[in-house]
Each structure stands twice: as C-alpha cells, then as structure tokens.
Amino acid sequence: MDATTAPHRIPPEMPQYGEANHIFELMQNMLEQLLIHQPKDPILFMISHLQRDNNNVPKIVILGPPASGKTTIAMWLCKHLNSNLLTVENLIAREFSSLAAGARRHYQNVTKVPSSLLVRLIQERVSEEDCIRRGWILDGIPETREQALMIQTLGITPRHVIVLSSPDTVLIERNLGKRIDPQTGEIYHTTFGWPPEAEIQNRLVVPEGISELETARKLLEYHRNIIGILPAYPKILKVISADQPCMDVFYQALTYAQTSHRSNAPFTPRVLLCGPVGSGKRLQAALLAQKYGLVNVHCGQLLKEAVADKSKVGELIQPYFQKKMAVPDSIIMKVLGQRLSQQDSVQKGWVLHGFPRDLDQAHMLHSLGHQPSRVFFLNVPLDSIIERLTLRRMDPVTGERYHLMYKPPPTVEIQARLLQHPKDTKEQVKLKMDLFYRHSSDLEEFYRQAIAINGDQDPYTVFEYIESGIINPLPRKVP
C-alpha cells in the first residue's frame, strides 16, 4: 500500500456512479431489447438482461509510481463507486482459482507473477458476476507495455485511465517516512500521519524496500515502463498531480471517472480487418474497440463461445472442432449474422476479423446486409510473419510466453524447457500464409475501396494509419 494511505480518512459519501443516468439508460435499453426480441417470458428475459448489462459500470485503471497514493485513491473510488478493487495481491490470493494457486507458487519463488498468468487472472476475475454488475478498478496494472497489449488483445478495455504523477524527490521523501504497525498492519508516516498514542508509536517499524536506493530503483523501473503503457490508452487517459492533498487528488479522480466519453468516429463504423495469420488483426481490433466503443467480433472466438454455451448451433459446431475440420460456411454465417444483428452491434458499430476468408464468404456476408464501411488489408512479408510466429515459445512450468528474438528467456535453464506450439512451426505458418494469399486477390477485387496498410511496423503506428482511414472520407475512384 502506498505511503499516503493511512494519514487520510475515508471521504464522505458521494452520489454513486451516474446512478440516475444509469437507471434511465438501463430502462431505455431494456425496452429496446424487449421490442427487438419479443421474448415469450419478458420477466425472465429482463432478469437475464440485467445480469448481463455492464455498459455503465466503472472500468478504471489507476497507475502511478511508488508512494504516489494510487492504492489509496483506488480504494476510495471502489467505496464510492461500489466497485471491485483488483490488485496483484488480491488476484493471486483468491482461494477457489487454480490459476491463482499457480501464481502463488510462482510468487513465493521469485516475488513476481508472469505477465501471461497475471493477464489470465484478470480475465478470469472480470468475467465473474460481481465484476460484470459492479465493474472493476485495476490498481497498478498493467505494469508493462506487454501486459497492456495482452489485456487489450483479450478485449478487456477500461473506460478511464488515471495516472498519478509527482516529482521523484517528493516520492522518495514520502517513502522514507513510512512506518507500519506490525500488529494491525496500519501504515503511518513520520510527517503526514503520526499516531498520537505512545503505545503505537513505540511498536512501529520501518517496512522493507523503502530505502532511498531501493525507492530510486523502483522509480527508474516505473519511468522506463510507463512510457510504453500510455500510448495504449489514447483519449481515455488523465494525468493528475499527486503532489497535493490526497483528498484533492481523490475528488479529481472521481470527477474524471464519472465522465462519459463520446465516440470520435464521424459515423457508426463497420470495420473489416483482413490479413494473414500473425499480421496483428486481433490487437488492432482490440485497439479500435477500445477507442471507438465498437463491438469486437472475432469469428473464431464466436464459434468457441457457441460451443461453450452448449447452444443448439454450438452442438452443430462441436463435431467439427473434435475432428479438427473446417466449420461449414452456413453454420458460421448463422452465428456471425446473429452477433452482427444484435442491438449493440447495430448501435455502436463493429470491427470484424477472421472472416471472410474467401470470395464466397464475402458474398454471403454481403447478402445478409452486413457490408463493412471500411476495409483494411494488413500486409506483412512472409519473412516477418515467420519471425513473429515461429520464434514464439511457452514455459510449461510458469505459463509465461517468450519470443526468442523480442523477449528471450532470462536464463539458460528456462530456455532449455521452452516448448513451441505445433501451429507455430514453419511448415504450418507457410500453409496458412499460402491459403490466405490464394484468396486475397479475390477479396481485394471484391472490396475495391479497401485500404492497404503496411503491418510490418510498430502496432501503434499501424493503428494510427487505420484510424486515419476511418476518420477521413474514402477517396473517390477516378473512372
């Protein structure tokens, strides 16, 4: 917990997270759903809809250097917004989670949780009912740019990102004055919050890891990582000075957390991303969904969800999955058509990837009335795709993912036990590339106004080009 936690009392009660507006919007949305679906049992339908509804709950990330007070602010926001606080500590402490048990074992050895495991813990937690209904606040996560990208790829998108900032000299001074009560765990400070009771004063101890040298090391690591994290959250990020009374910081954070963002898109986007395996479609879709509030539609994931839900169409898909055969286009279109016809897709727009893969599928999508308003082809050379995919490895012990070039394992021992997924072999990658390029010319001819983008560059540079293609009008074709 940060140094500024104890000296301040919990602020007085304030109105909940847009409570009146939320209730009005919820009722309006529910009436729309009743008119659209016309269910046989409206009561059960509304109960189910309320359980799924999470359009207006807090989804907040709070970042900041050591001793900036971010944990204090996160805790107070959780209280006032009636939300759930997610920290590394409480994620790995969960009792009935096999992922958390694995994370605890790893944390005991190296006092750090692998990024891939931490992100899966977050995914598991935010999928639970209380987080769906009351939202969540991530305290100090993501810690690195890699984690930010992994979280976005899974479709976990915050609505507000708050970054606390303060001079390093102030933060070091704060940390040096921190004291802890070993009996209660309460944190005090020699300058900002010293206890009046002599008994408590006498038993206070200096916590580990707060020396000037250790704090400077942590600050250096934070500054090195934060510059890679911030570009992941354009338009939803607010920097607040932590070098002011904690109550002032809190009210600024609360005010920002209660604002709503309007889409920057000049129309309701319907975006199609095409490209070979490894071209970065999934990440770009996640970035677009976050910034413009689009529905992220991944065709392969839709099929997996249908099977997991044990729906009627899922029962049709299951045998093809078991035999590792391609699912027929007619079944794919049934699942995809239902998703693109849902109210959120119609109202907010969507970004589709993983479909269509050939000309016949493109015609089927068009015949159902789901024409994309923007189409992007992400072009990446074969050599780059092979480099991206065939050098990926996974540690079977920790679950951590590595890349032999971009993120090599830290020790020879770890490198010796790394495994390669069968789909990442050079032969498999080439087969998928050949299959894509066999149909790409037909797709490019069908989508004549498609925009070609060089996908062999930094993902945020690619995103800027895609964003420009969405915001700016399409060029007129000269006859």
Side-chain angles (χ1 to χ4, degrees), residues 242-474:
D243 190 16
Q244 56 182 322
C246 198
M247 194 71 72
D248 293 343
V249 178
F250 167 70
Y251 284 127
Q252 290 178 43
L254 182 63
T255 300
Y256 179 63
Q258 292 178 317
T259 60
S260 60
H261 303 295
R262 296 186 64 181
S263 173
N264 295 320
F267 56 94
T268 303
R270 300 183 304 277
V271 181
L272 172 62
L273 299 180
C274 299
V277 59
S279 59
K281 300 186 297 295
R282 182 176 295 191
L283 175 57
Q284 296 302 324
L287 293 173
L288 286 170
Q290 174 182 280
K291 181 162 184 179
Y292 292 105
L294 309 182
V295 176
N296 189 345
V297 183
H298 180 211
C299 189
Q301 187 62 34
L302 282 180
L303 299 179
K304 292 177 183 177
E305 289 173 359
V307 172
D309 292 340
K310 297 181 180 179
S311 62
K312 290 183 179 180
V313 71
E315 292 175 359
L316 297 175
I317 298 169
Q318 180 71 26
Y320 295 98
F321 276 12
Q322 291 175 339
K323 297 175 184 178
K324 297 182 179 180
M325 297 171 58
V327 179
D329 288 349
S330 58
I331 298 178
I332 295 176
M333 285 308 306
K334 184 176 181 63
V335 176
L336 185 59
Q338 287 176 350
R339 186 66 190 93
L340 296 180
S341 299
Q342 288 181 16
Q343 180 67 16
D344 59 344
S345 297
V346 174
Q347 187 174 354
K348 298 178 181 178
W350 42 261
V351 51
L352 172 64
H353 51 114
F355 190 95
R357 297 178 183 271
D358 56 41
L359 186 59
D360 288 341
Q361 292 181 348
H363 279 294
M364 292 175 73
L365 187 66
H366 184 84
S367 66
L368 289 180
H370 300 300
Q371 298 96 340
S373 54
R374 293 290 188 276
V375 180
F376 299 92
F377 280 85
L378 304 184
N379 296 326
V380 182
L382 175 60
D383 291 345
S384 297
I385 293 287
I386 289 175
E387 182 183 280
R388 288 183 183 185
L389 301 184
T390 63
L391 299 182
R392 297 193 298 195
R393 298 291 186 273
M394 187 186 75
D395 186 343
V397 176
T398 65
E400 184 68 76
R401 298 178 185 273
Y402 295 97
H403 192 280
L404 299 183
M405 179 175 293
Y406 304 128
K407 186 192 172 185
T411 66
V412 176
E413 178 187 0
I414 294 177
Q415 182 166 358
R417 67 179 185 235
L418 295 182
L419 298 177
Q420 183 185 43
H421 196 287
K423 70 179 183 181
D424 288 341
T425 63
K426 192 171 183 178
E427 294 74 19
Q428 287 296 316
V429 172
K430 281 189 172 181
L431 279 173
K432 291 181 179 179
M433 289 286 288
D434 290 342
L435 184 62
F436 172 78
Y437 284 115
R438 192 181 307 163
H439 301 287
S440 62
S441 58
D442 291 337
L443 290 174
E444 288 172 5
E445 178 65 23
F446 185 79
Y447 295 114
R448 293 188 178 184
Q449 287 193 306
I451 301 171
I453 292 177
N454 175 19
D456 192 19
Q457 49 190 330
D458 180 84
Y460 290 108
T461 303
V462 175
F463 178 70
E464 288 175 1
Y465 281 110
I466 293 176
E467 185 179 24
S468 175
I470 290 176
I471 294 174
N472 297 322
L474 290 170

